Amino acid sequence: MTITENTFTGEFNYTLDSKGRLNIPSKFRSALSPENDGNFVITKGMDRCVVAYPVVEWQSRVEAGLRELSSTSQRNRLFVRSVTRYATTVRLDGQGRIQLTPYLKDYACLDRDVRIIGVVNKIEIWNPDDLENIEELSLEDFDDLSDIVIL
Amino acid sequence: MTITENTFTGEFNYTLDSKGRLNIPSKFRSALSPENDGNFVITKGMDRCVVAYPVVEWQSRVEAGLRELSSTSQRNRLFVRSVTRYATTVRLDGQGRIQLTPYLKDYACLDRDVRIIGVVNKIEIWNPDDLENIEELSLEDFDDLSDIVIL
DNA sequence: TAAGATTGTGGGTAGAAGTGGGTAAAAAAC
DNA sequence: GTTTTTTACCCACTTCTACCCACAATCTTA
């Protein structure tokens, strides 16, 4: 089984400690640790959150996608830069924690309380307030999309 | 026989114990335990209930669909998040019980008394009072739909 | 009907998970 | 080259979880 088949789900509340360390849910660690070097890549997410990919996910999906983007349009160039320049490979410490970069901590307004959610092939790290304030999907939209994913 | 052919039916009353554990009807356990890792996925249901899918159900219906969705549109991102963040893989303990997450327990207003019903390919977990109220509302539609599904 | 098996419920406990802090090595600054 | 800051590793403590055993009530079967 490849690591890309692993799916991250669930929601977890943690706190950044005084040293700026962030715990990673133990349910997610197994997808990161053994054959996957215990490393993953953190960078800027879409809606003011921090995203974390297992390195294989990052390489196959993100890097591959970024390579496809034509760099003739300035819009694309800006996008590719903003994704890659803030991307950092991080490693779990002995207790399963990571260290966020100052930029990402600032970008996602992470102070002390942090909410981590699993989103299929990646992990998202949020300020709890921001996550709550994200506009909920309208019911019509939800129903439309539920045709694709039958609940 | 594949697990997807299994159909859940019936209604059962249980109680959440002091540790927050919830018994799963023994009639449902056989569809979950042996070849299916004993795991299933619990998440938010449509009408303030908690739904539980056997993992294979979840993977074939939900995961497969979610992976197809492009995350470039915010609408899609909201949808994927709203599905995965509340989903948790749980395992039956030796006595056939599961542990609900605090969020889902709160969402479905589950305190002590709990009603579990089988709904074809999934299980629904309800506050008994909520379930009764829903039933009353849908009574007038029952006859209409009975034309399609002949009982 | 009696005996055994199954099921629902409760609780103890070892180990895991989350959190905090000390310290030495490494990096950066002076 | 020395000092200061930062990082990473280690250990410690608390809380929580999962596993185990127990037992009464119900169901099954001989």
Side-chain angles (χ1 to χ4, degrees):
Chain A
M1 190 186 79
T2 67
I3 204 74
T4 44
E5 288 172 17
N6 198 293
T7 297
F8 299 109
T9 61
E11 176 170 318
F12 306 85
N13 290 309
Y14 293 109
T15 54
L16 286 174
D17 66 18
S18 56
K19 293 184 179 181
R21 293 175 297 193
L22 175 64
N23 199 27
I24 297 296
S26 65
K27 287 197 175 185
F28 294 169
R29 287 180 211 152
S30 58
L32 304 168
S33 260
E35 67 279 8
N36 193 20
D37 319 313
N39 292 339
F40 52 111
V41 177
I42 57 173
T43 188
K44 265 171 92 163
M46 289 278 193
D47 310 287
R48 291 226 153 250
C49 72
V50 175
V51 288
Y53 299 87
V55 275
V56 286
E57 266 315 316
W58 172 264
Q59 286 166 349
S60 66
R61 286 172 173 264
V62 186
E63 281 187 19
L66 293 177
R67 283 175 196 279
E68 292 303 310
L69 275 181
S70 161
S71 62
T72 51
S73 95
Q74 195 197 26
R75 191 165 154 276
N76 286 3
R77 287 200 304 277
L78 289 173
F79 175 73
V80 173
R81 263 191 222 112
S82 72
V83 173
T84 57
R85 73 185 279 206
Y86 302 114
T88 313
T89 301
V90 292
R91 177 190 302 269
L92 296 171
D93 73 6
Q95 275 62 30
R97 295 171 292 195
I98 61 168
Q99 192 93 27
L100 295 175
T101 65
Y103 176 85
L104 291 176
K105 209 155 58 174
D106 186 61
Y107 169 74
C109 306
L110 301 178
D111 181 28
R112 185 177 160 77
D113 292 324
V114 168
R115 187 162 295 164
I116 299 179
I117 62 179
V119 187
V120 191
N121 58 302
K122 62 175 182 286
I123 299 166
E124 290 185 353
I125 301 166
W126 287 83
N127 177 316
D129 295 334
D130 289 347
L131 185 58
E132 289 317 309
N133 292 336
I134 283 273
E135 203 179 335
E136 286 287 324
L137 258 196
S138 69
L139 272 177
E140 311 94 77
D141 281 349
F142 198 91
D143 287 346
D144 288 351
L145 289 163
S146 290
D147 286 342
I148 302 166
V149 179
I150 303 136
L151 297 171
Chain B
M1 186 188 82
T2 66
I3 204 73
T4 44
E5 289 171 16
N6 198 294
T7 297
F8 299 109
T9 59
E11 175 169 316
F12 307 85
N13 290 307
Y14 293 109
T15 55
L16 286 174
D17 68 18
S18 57
K19 291 184 179 181
R21 294 175 296 193
L22 174 64
N23 198 26
I24 297 297
S26 64
K27 289 194 176 184
F28 294 169
R29 286 181 211 153
S30 59
L32 304 169
S33 258
E35 69 279 6
N36 193 21
D37 318 313
N39 292 339
F40 52 111
V41 177
I42 56 173
T43 189
K44 261 170 95 164
M46 290 279 191
D47 311 289
R48 294 226 152 250
C49 73
V50 175
V51 288
Y53 301 88
V55 275
V56 286
E57 275 299 328
W58 173 265
Q59 285 168 347
S60 63
R61 288 167 169 268
V62 184
E63 283 187 22
L66 292 180
R67 284 179 188 277
E68 294 305 311
L69 280 178
S70 160
S71 65
T72 49
S73 96
Q74 200 200 20
R75 188 164 155 274
N76 286 3
R77 288 201 304 278
L78 289 174
F79 179 71
V80 174
R81 252 187 229 123
S82 68
V83 173
T84 59
R85 71 185 273 209
Y86 303 113
T88 312
T89 301
V90 293
R91 177 191 303 269
L92 296 171
D93 73 6
Q95 276 61 31
R97 294 171 292 194
I98 61 168
Q99 191 94 27
L100 295 175
T101 65
Y103 178 85
L104 291 175
K105 209 156 57 175
D106 187 61
Y107 169 74
C109 305
L110 302 178
D111 181 28
R112 185 176 160 77
D113 292 324
V114 168
R115 187 161 297 162
I116 298 180
I117 61 179
V119 186
V120 191
N121 58 302
K122 62 176 182 282
I123 300 166
E124 289 185 355
I125 301 166
W126 287 84
N127 178 315
D129 296 336
D130 290 347
L131 184 58
E132 290 315 309
N133 293 337
I134 290 277
E135 276 296 312
E136 288 174 19
L137 289 176
S138 58
L139 268 177
E140 60 261 32
D141 291 333
F142 192 87
D143 290 346
D144 292 349
L145 290 165
S146 290
D147 288 341
I148 303 167
V149 181
I150 301 135
L151 299 172

